[in-house]
Amino acid sequence: MSFFNGMCALSLVGILTASVANAKDSKLRINTQESDIEFKAIGNPSALVVLGKGQGIEGGMVFSEGGSVNGQVIVDLTTLTTGLSLRDKHLKNKYLEVGTFKTAEFSLQKIQWKSAESAMNQPIVEQEFSGIMKIKNVEKVVAGVVSSVPGKDKVNATFKFTILLEDFAITIPSFAGITMAKDVEITANIVLHKETTP
């Protein structure tokens, strides 16, 4: 076999090997209808607690054969509600500027799961996760804890973390003489279904 033919053969083997590896990649897809996000902010005076919710969560996670994860979660900020329409209007239009920045994005970089199969079969309790959060076009590293309960054909995962508003160029909200704290506690209730990449 000539050197040229030998190199071609090695290249073909490499391509086929990569194709097989990619075929073994697996992913989890977010069920938008069953997932939501909750947030909690404390006001001054501290007796005031603002609780909110949001929907419109999309995305998923892709696991490589080597166990690395590439996750993407997108939240529609226009769905956020706090139970008071005027406060909702201020939150979305004045502070989050949803007319310009409609979504928040989170890129998952670290989690205990090494594959979709482990996520579907291995419950976890308050294990660390981390990634990049993007709000108002500002990106920051965030970390928190995740717990999960596998089901028959899905996994229910709860992600908890805290963000500082000033990290994302968000003015500290004030409403009716009440000024909110600088940090917001966020809980994402995510339902994931397993898929296999083509």
Side-chain angles (χ1 to χ4, degrees), residues 148-188:
S148 69
V149 178
K152 182 178 179 180
D153 60 351
K154 63 183 179 181
V155 57
N156 296 279
T158 301
F159 295 79
K160 295 184 178 182
F161 57 100
T162 299
I163 64 169
L164 293 176
L165 297 179
E166 58 189 11
D167 282 348
F168 298 96
I170 300 174
T171 304
I172 305 302
S174 60
F175 180 78
I178 304 296
T179 300
M180 305 309 297
K182 296 181 179 180
D183 57 335
V184 176
E185 298 175 15
I186 298 176
T187 300

Side-chain angles (χ1 to χ4, degrees), residues 73-137:
V73 180
I74 300 175
V75 180
D76 184 351
L77 298 178
T78 66
T79 69
L80 298 181
T81 59
T82 64
L84 190 61
S85 60
L86 184 56
R87 184 168 58 200
D88 293 346
K89 182 178 179 180
H90 286 175
L91 170 65
K92 290 184 277 191
N93 297 331
K94 181 177 180 179
Y95 300 108
L96 294 177
E97 300 177 68
V98 297
T100 304
F101 309 103
K102 181 181 178 181
T103 61
E105 301 177 14
F106 178 72
S107 298
L108 180 66
Q109 297 180 328
K110 178 183 177 183
I111 196 169
Q112 179 175 317
W113 298 327
K114 299 301 181 184
S115 67
E117 288 74 17
S118 66
M120 297 296 294
N121 295 286
Q122 176 187 349
I124 54 178
V125 179
E126 295 193 341
Q127 296 295 316
E128 292 184 0
F129 75 91
S130 62
I132 305 294
M133 176 67 76
K134 181 179 180 181
I135 302 175
K136 294 180 67 174
N137 218 30

